[in-house]
Amino acid sequence: MKKRAKSPRVRRDRSTLVLQSEYTTATAAELKAALVPLFAYHETIGLDASGAMRVGTAALQVLAAFVRDRRAQGRLTEWHGPSPAFVDAARLLGLTELLDLSAEQAA
């Protein structure tokens, strides 16, 4: 029996989404479902990618669209300690700017 990965969870303050350790094409829809309720928040949303060890293209595209669309609405999204694996995947796909990863995070 295949072990199911944990779903992303929202911290108690409801403004930070803690990403799970692995995202595949199959779990990108789950990530999108977790992001949808956060989209309309007017306050800054935090995305904690500190535990992200494997992040697939589909998940990064979902996250990039979320950050881009919030920015277009004048809403901020902040990254909390993105893991080196997360940053490397974003860099490889050319998404660091679209994801609003700071220069220090993307270095």
Side-chain angles (χ1 to χ4, degrees):
M1 180 176 218
K2 190 174 181 180
K3 193 175 188 180
R4 183 162 163 74
K6 288 185 197 176
S7 295
R9 67 189 195 307
V10 177
R11 288 191 182 147
R12 287 180 197 212
D13 64 7
R14 294 184 172 200
S15 63
T16 300
L17 181 72
V18 179
L19 302 181
Q20 62 193 38
S21 63
E22 183 175 331
Y23 285 100
T24 63
T25 301
T27 58
E30 197 174 286
L31 174 60
K32 181 180 176 185
L35 290 169
V36 166
L38 299 175
F39 181 78
Y41 280 28
H42 291 284
E43 64 269 10
T44 300
I45 294 294
L47 296 174
D48 183 342
S50 59
M53 297 300 128
R54 255 186 83 202
V55 185
T57 303
L60 283 167
Q61 289 172 329
V62 167
L63 288 164
F66 176 79
V67 171
R68 178 202 62 209
D69 292 350
R70 278 187 51 85
R71 183 177 47 242
Q73 296 294 317
R75 298 181 179 126
L76 297 176
T77 306
E78 291 180 346
W79 290 99
H80 299 282
S83 71
F86 182 88
V87 173
D88 286 347
R91 187 181 306 116
L92 182 66
L93 294 171
L95 293 175
T96 55
E97 189 175 321
L98 191 58
L99 286 165
D100 281 344
L101 289 169
S102 71
E104 297 81 34
Q105 291 168 324

